Amino acid sequence: MKVKDTTALLTKLRCCMKTGSKAGHAVNAIVVPSSDAHQSEYLAPCDLRRAFISGFTGSAGTAVVTVDKAALWTDGRYFLQAETELDSNWMLMKMGMKDTPTIEEWLCKVLPESSYVGVNPLLYSSSSWSKMENALEKEGHKLVETSDDLVDKVWENKPAAPSSSLIILKDHLTGKTSSEKIEDLRNQMKEKESKWLVVTALDDIAWLFNLRASDIEYNPVFFAYTVIGLNSVHLFIDQARLTPEVQAHLPSVEVHKYDSIISFLEQNCASEKTWLNSGSSHAIVSSIYKKYRQTTSNSPVSMMKCVKNQTEIEGMVSANNRDAVALCRYFHWMENEVPKGTVTECSAAAKSLEFRSQENDFVSLSFGTISSSGPSGAIIHYSPNIDDDKPVKKDELYLCDSGAQYMDGTTDTTRTLHFGEPTDHEKECFTRVLKGHISLASVVFPAGTKGYWLDTLARMHLWKAGLDYLHGTGHGVGCFLNVHEGPVGTYIGNSDRVVVVASDVELKAGMVITDEPGFYEDGKFGIRIENALLCKKAETKHNFRGKQFFQFESIALVPIQQKLIDKSLLIEDEIAWLNVYHQRCRDVIGPALREGGHAATYDWLIRETEPI
Amino acid sequence: MKVKDTTALLTKLRCCMKTGSKAGHAVNAIVVPSSDAHQSEYLAPCDLRRAFISGFTGSAGTAVVTVDKAALWTDGRYFLQAETELDSNWMLMKMGMKDTPTIEEWLCKVLPESSYVGVNPLLYSSSSWSKMENALEKEGHKLVETSDDLVDKVWENKPAAPSSSLIILKDHLTGKTSSEKIEDLRNQMKEKESKWLVVTALDDIAWLFNLRASDIEYNPVFFAYTVIGLNSVHLFIDQARLTPEVQAHLPSVEVHKYDSIISFLEQNCASEKTWLNSGSSHAIVSSIYKKYRQTTSNSPVSMMKCVKNQTEIEGMVSANNRDAVALCRYFHWMENEVPKGTVTECSAAAKSLEFRSQENDFVSLSFGTISSSGPSGAIIHYSPNIDDDKPVKKDELYLCDSGAQYMDGTTDTTRTLHFGEPTDHEKECFTRVLKGHISLASVVFPAGTKGYWLDTLARMHLWKAGLDYLHGTGHGVGCFLNVHEGPVGTYIGNSDRVVVVASDVELKAGMVITDEPGFYEDGKFGIRIENALLCKKAETKHNFRGKQFFQFESIALVPIQQKLIDKSLLIEDEIAWLNVYHQRCRDVIGPALREGGHAATYDWLIRETEPI
């Protein structure tokens, strides 16, 4: 990795800071987060401001620049990378270490009394803004909005904002027209007595209008804002993108310039009851007078979107089935090729992309393929690197976490395989991960259960042996949308796998979440077994107080490698679950393999799904 | 139940309301909660203000009186009782029903604009006060302190405040002197830079000074406040209670009048950093200027108290062993007597008290014995009633939840028994409750785990069959202190068994919590299996990232009735757990029964603990 010399850049930035506040006065410090104006998880190149100013290219981190200091906060996944990439202008602040101050604590220590701290109000969620504002105020400092973005002012040759083609999804893929969705939202608005609803998350907007694009890698979204009134719908977007077809698809939508959202809100909504999301930017939320804000922590669009309708469910199932065909072909290919010693982490990832791209309605990957051999697998967010490619070894565990976007659904599946002879220890760890996967996949639970209540089920068998994993157990999955989709999930406790934050949302029939316990031994191996699960109504023997009970159905149907299982650690119910699951792989994926002309892979599937 | 005519009382109370605020002006409404100045769970007779003013004698409820209306809020356990006891002056507000407004909502509906709502600031916790204050303020009303207590002003012949004898606990029972405990607290105060620490919970104060009393039924506490300075300790108590022995036990403690606490705080602590607990009363918390308050949601005393030291652990174990002797004798006696048809719920409870009182160092019960046959068992907070006593029937399930205070520890154990032939359905339900009990009792978990993470383990086997229970799974237990001791517990979700609220506290070695899943079929039967569990360090095969792992040890050793178990529903590990548990009952309680001369009960124990 190369080190970027940031000296000149910081000088320019500090110069801008002298008149950097929106009010035109100096700011003593600016905070540059890793985010865009829509609080997206993945960023477009034009939004990589923190990477640009600091030189640190990891996905998570926050830069803070004062008149004489520059510091970068990141978490344990990135300490090594940050140390390598940052030049001597920067101090590295290792989050999670005992003596590392928070950004607020550090600012209060280094700033002169009554300082101004500037942040681009588009890049901080309203809730994060309030938190920092309170912490600074306690010590006599003020959090202020910067005028435009100060990093942008010093960023020469900044990449343009993306403007990819909009794709119209027909009703047979969405199950619900955009008008119907808007009508549902208006009914909720009427109940709340809201006059306006502001939608800022890009996947919410894509879902709402049944449109997709490719503005952000892996996420089929487009940059836009939406404001819904009781009798009007407003879309804020680069107007050049609206082809006649798209215009025809949005007959009753008033289109505005993307950048005009704030002035629109100020002029039309500021003094009327307006429904906002605390995850929206401070700029958006503060454009409405406080007493008119109706703020919820989840947008009503995301609450609707996470419960898939029947068409979306069928799409997700179908996409997972095609994905399973590609994965079976891929793992079968690996079994043949790895022993030859010619497969690398990158070439393997490329092969899996090749197989996927041959499936109907394939659009793109849904995230960067984690193709990792041995020690690489222990790095939870590993990406194989073409500049430092590693062989996939026959005598190591191979972990592959991958997924794709199809026109009808999104996939995310992890399998851990061994192409030689696993050790007893590897088998014990794999089997305990599998037991956890099965415990969550087979639980029955009453209406009202929140995802995090179930997290322990996926861990308890590891705990029994003194093992654990430091990431969440599952996240929501979009339907031809973001692979990490809020607000549902099964997180509990601390996680260094920061994707979708655990939330207080009840599990409902139609939700799709992942079940992905793991175990990682630093420097040695990683194990993870991940399927997407569809939540559905359960038929139970009894029915306590008329409560509805739910259960999951695994919709990813890819064999779980049996040579890694220590059967003596499984109980009868777990063996039965595995055999039923593998029979479903045979029944559903088998015919698809034969019809696709993949006879050898079909034989592989049958062998890999023998009852145990 | 008789109905109290509250007409005259309400007239007097409304008269007091005309000049009822602390500032001397009128209040438009007053709120009378079920609480005392220490936010105790159980109340002394002099604190039963809500029962006095409304006539409703249930343990949970809040009365609200306006100039022309009177309303009482209570939960589902008490709807019937409240309907019977309230006279026509009162409206019953059924909490948990869809259309029932909250107290704040109702007040905002019925009060004229800009009203004053009065509350005795001693009876509302600081956190509840803030919540109500905000809700009222939003609608233009003000929450104000009343002058003294308005109910007390109209309460003729009010019972006197209790002033029972103080019992000094010697070091061999406490394991730590009061001075050592205070020194530990001062170290924590220094770390926080606190000048003062205010302790208001009665069990915290009893534990801190190694004193007990009997001011409140079942709870061996005494009315007092404590303020700890860096160089002084202040005890606010009825000074007449301080015998020379107690004075000698508290050599460096400055004693003040009980009622002088607020003026002491105002004069000495108001402008110095003072550590408070948000569960303390609004009167206490607001006596310190806002900027000097250091408020935590759990007092440091309760955080220390819930982790038992070695002496306390030994006391809890020993008390549980003696209690098990009494319970074995009792259940053996029931087995012989119930078939004769002469045992009633009340006579059974009396018999269990008789056996317990024969054990060394018995002090009192730790709560009212729940002795319930058949349908009575389905009422979770059932108390047998001497005016409506019911037979214990041979062909019904009998549920007994009971416990006692001993000088060295507190117990709380529930067993469900059948003295005839249980049905298959009863056996299935019992076995699923048992599976849940075992899952929680045998879990291994890492440091950092909070009680509520484990709650699902106790429910999942019931859920699988569409069953559940509407109460928490466990609570902390004091050591010769309150049987419901915060802040630890394993609650999750909604509970209609309101005891200790779930809190965000990590489980630690030395904590004692209960494990008490159940199942209840209205009008038919109740099942609950409850043991106290001691949390201790676990030896695990592996040790992920050097983390400490914990497990539980059951310290209540009373046979679990085998005729209620459907063995076909148990897996091997559960059968092994049960056999090991019953062997421990034999090994530990067996000798005590023989030494106590209870040979027939010994034989009963051996029979009841046969390996299955």
Side-chain angles (χ1 to χ4, degrees):
Chain A
M1 292 174 187
K2 59 184 189 298
V3 176
K4 172 171 181 173
D5 182 349
T6 61
T7 311
L9 268 183
L10 287 172
T11 306
K12 282 193 219 166
L13 184 67
R14 285 171 178 139
C15 185
C16 293
M17 284 164 59
K18 287 180 187 161
T19 55
S21 85
K22 197 175 173 186
H25 59 69
V27 293
N28 306 71
I30 71 160
V31 179
V32 184
S34 306
S35 60
D36 66 14
H38 305 270
Q39 286 62 53
S40 305
E41 183 193 358
Y42 293 79
L43 300 182
C46 62
D47 284 315
L48 299 171
R49 296 181 180 85
R50 189 261 307 143
F52 170 75
I53 195 70
S54 69
F56 165 63
T57 61
S59 74
T62 303
V64 180
V65 178
T66 70
V67 293
D68 56 357
K69 292 184 179 63
L72 181 116
W73 277 256
T74 191
D75 63 62
R77 294 173 284 160
Y78 294 113
F79 292 165
L80 203 68
Q81 181 179 344
E83 274 166 8
T84 315
E85 291 184 334
L86 292 174
D87 73 5
S88 60
N89 290 299
W90 291 84
M91 302 163 58
L92 174 59
M93 297 296 196
K94 297 181 174 182
M95 290 166 69
M97 306 289 277
K98 207 172 147 276
D99 297 323
T100 305
T102 64
I103 292 172
E104 291 90 337
E105 285 166 354
W106 184 78
L107 282 170
C108 292
K109 219 177 67 183
V110 305
L111 289 179
E113 267 182 40
S114 305
S115 282
Y116 290 93
V117 176
V119 173
N120 177 345
L122 287 165
L123 301 187
Y124 246 54
S125 73
S126 159
S127 48
S128 308
W129 183 282
S130 303
K131 219 181 119 222
M132 178 169 274
E133 189 172 41
N134 289 336
L136 293 175
E137 245 173 32
K138 268 193 186 161
E139 303 293 323
H141 307 299
K142 259 188 121 72
L143 185 64
V144 296
E145 304 185 6
T146 56
S147 67
D148 302 320
D149 190 282
L150 300 191
V151 174
D152 286 359
K153 287 188 180 175
V154 304
W155 192 345
E156 288 174 22
N157 305 316
K158 182 173 187 277
S163 191
S164 57
S165 303
L166 298 179
I167 305 166
I168 298 166
L169 292 192
K170 292 280 169 10
D171 298 351
H172 76 275
L173 290 172
T174 65
K176 204 166 191 175
T177 65
S178 182
S179 316
E180 287 168 329
K181 293 175 182 178
I182 288 167
E183 216 35 54
D184 286 354
L185 288 168
R186 285 204 176 115
N187 287 333
Q188 294 179 56
M189 289 166 64
K190 282 171 199 160
E191 261 180 44
K192 265 182 95 82
E193 301 180 6
S194 312
K195 289 262 191 280
W196 301 97
L197 168 66
V198 185
V199 188
T200 62
L202 301 186
D203 59 339
D204 279 1
I205 297 170
W207 181 83
L208 187 59
F209 291 111
N210 294 334
L211 290 172
R212 301 291 187 271
S214 54
D215 280 9
I216 296 182
E217 193 179 15
Y218 309 129
N219 297 342
V221 297
F222 52 93
F223 280 88
Y225 293 99
T226 298
V227 178
I228 298 176
L230 292 173
N231 299 298
S232 59
V233 180
H234 305 269
L235 177 64
F236 301 77
I237 190 170
D238 170 10
Q239 290 161 306
R241 307 174 75 162
L242 300 184
T243 60
E245 290 75 24
V246 172
Q247 286 179 29
H249 176 72
L250 304 170
S252 53
V253 174
E254 296 174 41
V255 179
H256 306 257
K257 281 187 192 163
Y258 173 76
D259 284 334
S260 67
I261 176 71
I262 302 292
S263 61
F264 178 90
L265 291 173
E266 288 171 348
Q267 284 161 32
N268 297 281
C269 315
S271 0
E272 297 195 309
K273 284 201 174 171
T274 301
W275 193 346
L276 298 154
N277 171 351
S278 60
S280 294
S281 71
H282 174 72
I284 294 286
V285 173
S286 63
S287 68
I288 307 298
Y289 290 118
K290 206 165 189 171
K291 65 179 289 194
Y292 295 102
R293 291 178 205 160
Q294 299 178 305
T295 313
T296 52
S297 54
N298 297 307
S299 87
V301 181
S302 71
M303 294 300 284
M304 286 163 65
K305 170 168 65 45
C306 69
V307 178
K308 274 71 184 163
N309 64 39
Q310 194 51 41
T311 304
E312 290 169 325
I313 289 170
E314 285 163 20
M316 289 294 275
V317 167
S318 170
N320 267 283
N321 290 345
R322 299 199 301 285
D323 206 56
V325 167
L327 283 177
C328 286
R329 291 178 65 198
Y330 170 55
F331 292 137
H332 176 218
W333 177 86
M334 289 288 278
E335 193 181 280
N336 291 328
E337 298 301 317
V338 169
K340 300 179 188 165
T342 52
V343 179
T344 66
E345 292 176 342
C346 286
S347 74
K351 196 73 191 177
S352 71
L353 173 58
E354 180 189 325
F355 286 131
R356 279 192 163 107
S357 63
Q358 292 166 10
E359 291 300 317
N360 286 339
D361 291 332
F362 170 84
V363 178
S364 71
L365 295 180
S366 58
F367 58 98
T369 296
I370 299 177
S371 164
S372 53
S373 182
S376 308
I379 302 166
I380 294 169
H381 285 78
Y382 185 76
S383 296
N385 181 350
I386 196 72
D387 296 327
D388 181 26
D389 200 7
K390 296 189 177 71
V392 175
K393 293 187 187 158
K394 186 174 175 295
D395 57 348
E396 286 181 345
L397 283 169
Y398 174 70
L399 185 159
C400 181
D401 186 348
S402 63
Q405 299 287 0
Y406 298 88
M407 288 292 284
D408 50 355
T410 303
T411 69
D412 182 1
T413 308
T414 308
R415 286 294 179 273
T416 306
L417 303 158
H418 202 291
F419 302 108
E421 274 311 308
T423 66
D424 286 348
H425 178 57
E426 288 167 337
K427 285 166 75 173
E428 182 195 352
C429 296
F430 182 90
T431 308
R432 290 189 181 278
V433 171
L434 175 61
K435 285 168 77 81
H437 179 94
I438 295 172
S439 290
L440 178 55
S442 58
V443 68
V444 176
F445 54 92
T449 298
K450 292 165 184 179
Y452 71 87
W453 297 11
L454 305 180
D455 184 280
T456 295
L457 302 180
R459 298 179 195 269
M460 59 184 178
H461 305 287
L462 287 161
W463 287 354
K464 200 135 265 180
L467 306 177
D468 199 1
Y469 53 93
L470 298 180
H471 59 71
T473 299
H475 55 81
V477 182
C479 183
F480 186 22
L481 268 176
N482 295 358
V483 73
H484 296 148
E485 181 179 273
V488 74
T490 55
Y491 287 82
I492 203 169
N494 294 320
S495 163
D496 65 4
R497 186 150 196 248
V498 186
V499 280
V500 180
V501 173
S503 70
D504 226 24
V505 173
E506 293 174 8
L507 291 166
K508 294 210 170 107
M511 288 180 170
V512 175
I513 63 164
T514 63
D515 172 5
E516 47 177 317
F519 176 70
Y520 310 89
E521 217 162 272
D522 286 344
K524 292 186 180 151
F525 62 80
I527 294 167
R528 188 158 65 249
I529 304 172
E530 175 186 23
N531 281 344
L533 306 179
L534 170 67
C535 181
K536 44 188 235 178
K537 290 184 179 180
E539 294 298 323
T540 50
K541 180 174 173 190
H542 307 288
N543 188 218
F544 178 63
R545 297 215 175 168
K547 261 195 197 182
Q548 179 63 54
F549 281 78
F550 297 108
Q551 63 189 9
F552 294 117
E553 176 185 312
S554 305
I555 59 172
L557 295 173
V558 180
I560 293 167
Q561 200 180 41
Q562 303 196 2
K563 77 158 82 154
L564 279 166
I565 297 174
D566 177 351
K567 191 180 165 186
S568 73
L569 291 174
L570 297 183
I571 64 170
E572 262 177 58
D573 282 355
E574 291 163 345
I575 292 169
W577 182 92
L578 188 73
N579 288 337
V580 167
Y581 176 74
H582 275 156
Q583 186 61 48
R584 287 184 60 221
C585 294
R586 282 186 179 188
D587 293 346
V588 178
I589 309 305
L593 283 171
R594 272 194 302 208
E595 285 157 26
H598 311 300
T601 299
Y602 175 79
D603 294 341
W604 173 89
L605 173 73
I606 297 301
R607 201 193 68 213
E608 289 294 302
T609 53
E610 277 297 323
I612 63 166
Chain B
M1 291 174 187
K2 57 184 189 299
V3 176
K4 173 171 180 171
D5 181 350
T6 61
T7 310
L9 267 182
L10 287 172
T11 305
K12 282 194 219 166
L13 184 67
R14 285 174 177 137
C15 186
C16 292
M17 284 165 58
K18 286 180 186 161
T19 55
S21 85
K22 197 175 173 185
H25 60 71
V27 293
N28 306 71
I30 70 159
V31 179
V32 184
S34 307
S35 59
D36 67 14
H38 306 271
Q39 285 63 53
S40 305
E41 184 193 355
Y42 293 80
L43 300 183
C46 62
D47 284 316
L48 298 172
R49 296 180 180 86
R50 189 262 306 144
F52 170 76
I53 195 70
S54 68
F56 165 62
T57 61
S59 74
T62 303
V64 180
V65 178
T66 69
V67 292
D68 56 357
K69 292 184 179 64
L72 181 116
W73 277 255
T74 190
D75 63 62
R77 294 173 285 160
Y78 295 113
F79 291 164
L80 204 65
Q81 182 179 345
E83 274 166 8
T84 317
E85 291 184 333
L86 292 173
D87 74 5
S88 61
N89 290 299
W90 291 84
M91 302 160 60
L92 173 58
M93 297 296 196
K94 298 182 175 182
M95 289 166 68
M97 305 289 277
K98 204 172 149 278
D99 296 324
T100 306
T102 64
I103 292 173
E104 292 89 337
E105 285 166 353
W106 185 77
L107 282 170
C108 292
K109 220 176 67 181
V110 304
L111 289 180
E113 266 182 41
S114 306
S115 282
Y116 289 93
V117 176
V119 174
N120 177 345
L122 286 166
L123 302 187
Y124 245 56
S125 72
S126 158
S127 48
S128 309
W129 184 281
S130 303
K131 218 181 120 220
M132 178 168 275
E133 189 173 41
N134 288 337
L136 292 175
E137 244 173 33
K138 267 194 189 162
E139 303 293 323
H141 307 299
K142 259 187 122 72
L143 184 65
V144 296
E145 305 185 7
T146 56
S147 67
D148 303 321
D149 190 283
L150 300 190
V151 175
D152 286 358
K153 289 188 179 175
V154 303
W155 193 344
E156 288 174 23
N157 305 316
K158 183 176 186 276
S163 193
S164 56
S165 303
L166 299 179
I167 305 165
I168 299 166
L169 292 192
K170 292 280 172 1
D171 298 350
H172 75 275
L173 289 172
T174 65
K176 204 166 191 175
T177 65
S178 181
S179 316
E180 288 169 330
K181 293 175 182 178
I182 288 167
E183 215 34 55
D184 286 353
L185 288 168
R186 285 203 178 118
N187 287 334
Q188 294 179 56
M189 289 165 64
K190 282 171 198 161
E191 260 180 45
K192 264 181 95 81
E193 300 180 6
S194 313
K195 290 261 190 277
W196 301 97
L197 168 68
V198 186
V199 188
T200 62
L202 300 185
D203 60 338
D204 278 0
I205 296 170
W207 180 83
L208 187 61
F209 290 112
N210 294 334
L211 290 171
R212 300 292 188 271
S214 54
D215 280 9
I216 296 181
E217 192 178 16
Y218 308 129
N219 296 341
V221 298
F222 52 93
F223 281 88
Y225 292 100
T226 298
V227 178
I228 298 176
L230 291 173
N231 301 298
S232 59
V233 180
H234 306 268
L235 178 63
F236 301 78
I237 190 169
D238 172 8
Q239 289 161 307
R241 309 174 74 162
L242 299 184
T243 61
E245 290 75 25
V246 172
Q247 285 178 30
H249 176 72
L250 303 170
S252 52
V253 174
E254 296 174 42
V255 178
H256 307 257
K257 283 188 190 161
Y258 173 76
D259 284 334
S260 66
I261 175 71
I262 301 291
S263 61
F264 178 91
L265 290 173
E266 287 171 349
Q267 284 160 32
N268 297 280
C269 314
S271 2
E272 297 194 311
K273 283 199 173 173
T274 301
W275 193 348
L276 298 153
N277 170 352
S278 59
S280 294
S281 70
H282 174 71
I284 294 284
V285 173
S286 64
S287 68
I288 307 297
Y289 289 119
K290 205 163 190 173
K291 65 180 289 195
Y292 295 102
R293 290 177 206 162
Q294 300 178 305
T295 313
T296 52
S297 55
N298 297 307
S299 87
V301 181
S302 73
M303 294 300 285
M304 286 163 66
K305 173 168 60 53
C306 69
V307 178
K308 274 71 184 163
N309 64 40
Q310 194 50 41
T311 305
E312 291 169 324
I313 290 170
E314 286 163 18
M316 290 291 277
V317 167
S318 170
N320 267 283
N321 290 345
R322 300 199 298 286
D323 206 58
V325 166
L327 283 177
C328 285
R329 293 178 63 199
Y330 171 55
F331 293 137
H332 177 215
W333 177 87
M334 290 287 278
E335 192 181 279
N336 290 328
E337 299 301 317
V338 169
K340 300 177 188 165
T342 53
V343 180
T344 66
E345 291 177 342
C346 287
S347 73
K351 196 73 191 176
S352 71
L353 173 58
E354 180 189 325
F355 286 131
R356 279 194 162 105
S357 63
Q358 292 166 11
E359 292 300 316
N360 286 339
D361 292 332
F362 171 83
V363 178
S364 71
L365 295 181
S366 57
F367 58 98
T369 295
I370 299 175
S371 164
S372 53
S373 181
S376 308
I379 302 167
I380 293 169
H381 285 80
Y382 186 75
S383 297
N385 181 353
I386 196 71
D387 297 327
D388 182 24
D389 200 6
K390 297 188 176 71
V392 176
K393 293 187 186 157
K394 186 174 174 297
D395 57 347
E396 285 181 346
L397 283 169
Y398 173 71
L399 185 159
C400 181
D401 186 349
S402 64
Q405 299 288 359
Y406 298 88
M407 289 290 285
D408 50 355
T410 303
T411 69
D412 183 1
T413 308
T414 307
R415 286 293 179 273
T416 305
L417 302 157
H418 202 292
F419 302 108
E421 273 310 309
T423 65
D424 286 348
H425 178 56
E426 288 167 338
K427 285 167 75 171
E428 182 194 352
C429 296
F430 183 90
T431 307
R432 290 188 181 276
V433 171
L434 175 61
K435 285 168 77 79
H437 180 93
I438 295 173
S439 291
L440 178 55
S442 59
V443 68
V444 176
F445 54 91
T449 297
K450 293 165 183 178
Y452 70 86
W453 297 10
L454 305 180
D455 185 279
T456 295
L457 302 180
R459 297 179 195 269
M460 59 185 178
H461 306 286
L462 287 161
W463 287 353
K464 200 136 265 180
L467 307 177
D468 198 2
Y469 52 94
L470 297 180
H471 60 71
T473 299
H475 56 81
V477 181
C479 182
F480 186 21
L481 268 176
N482 296 357
V483 72
H484 296 148
E485 181 178 273
V488 74
T490 54
Y491 287 81
I492 204 170
N494 293 318
S495 162
D496 65 5
R497 187 152 195 246
V498 186
V499 281
V500 181
V501 173
S503 70
D504 225 25
V505 173
E506 293 175 7
L507 291 165
K508 294 208 170 110
M511 288 179 170
V512 175
I513 63 164
T514 63
D515 172 6
E516 48 177 317
F519 176 69
Y520 311 90
E521 216 163 274
D522 286 345
K524 295 189 179 149
F525 62 81
I527 293 166
R528 189 159 64 250
I529 304 171
E530 175 186 24
N531 281 344
L533 306 179
L534 169 67
C535 180
K536 44 187 237 178
K537 290 184 179 179
E539 294 298 324
T540 48
K541 180 175 174 189
H542 307 287
N543 190 217
F544 177 63
R545 297 217 175 168
K547 261 195 196 180
Q548 179 63 55
F549 280 78
F550 297 108
Q551 63 189 11
F552 295 117
E553 175 184 312
S554 305
I555 59 172
L557 294 174
V558 180
I560 292 167
Q561 199 178 42
Q562 301 194 5
K563 76 159 82 154
L564 280 165
I565 297 173
D566 177 351
K567 192 179 164 185
S568 73
L569 290 174
L570 297 183
I571 63 169
E572 262 178 59
D573 283 354
E574 291 162 345
I575 292 170
W577 182 92
L578 188 73
N579 288 335
V580 167
Y581 176 74
H582 275 156
Q583 187 60 48
R584 287 184 60 219
C585 294
R586 284 186 178 189
D587 294 346
V588 178
I589 309 306
L593 283 171
R594 271 195 303 209
E595 284 158 26
H598 311 301
T601 300
Y602 176 79
D603 294 341
W604 174 88
L605 173 73
I606 296 300
R607 200 194 69 214
E608 289 292 302
T609 53
E610 278 297 323
I612 63 168

